[in-house]
Amino acid sequence: MPINWPLKKANRKLTARLVTLKEIHAYLLEKVPELKDTDLHAEISSTEKLIEYLYKQREVLEGHMLQSKFTSLQPSLDITSEFIEVLHSILRLLKKNTLKQPLTNTTEEAALAVNRSNKTMNKLCGR
């Protein structure tokens, strides 16, 4: 069995998954009015984690290509990069249409930061 055969098979599977992801993106674009003001924070978080994972995988592929001049990985790298592009587009869509968090809920960290900032300003102004 040639060494490139498993890689070609993997690329076919990745391409099929990429087509499905593009179909999901198109579906979400059609459903934007229904997404408006929906709580999509879990989906946003999941998409961000997936993008982060794919960036790491892309770095691994790039590393292998640089070290061993293994150019047959280029199609896998291209597919991975396209996955990332589509996921970023989906992420923008989700963030744009998610339910906005009320601004009245301040976290403890934010309250401490404001307090420290006020103390610093008072010191600088000699109050």
Side-chain angles (χ1 to χ4, degrees), residues 102-118:
L103 297 176
T104 56
N105 294 340
T106 58
T107 64
E108 189 175 328
E109 285 182 31
L112 287 173
V114 168
N115 190 19
R116 278 192 223 115
S117 177
N118 287 338

Side-chain angles (χ1 to χ4, degrees), residues 49-85:
K49 288 177 185 175
L50 184 56
I51 290 171
E52 185 179 318
Y53 172 78
L54 286 172
Y55 271 122
K56 289 176 185 175
Q57 296 307 309
R58 188 170 73 177
E59 286 177 19
V60 169
L61 287 170
E62 288 170 342
H64 284 302
M65 285 181 64
L66 289 175
Q67 287 177 350
S68 61
K69 308 284 188 253
F70 198 44
T71 56
S72 59
L73 287 175
Q74 188 63 47
S76 300
L77 183 63
D78 294 342
I79 293 167
T80 303
S81 295
E82 198 167 346
F83 258 106
I84 292 170
E85 286 178 33

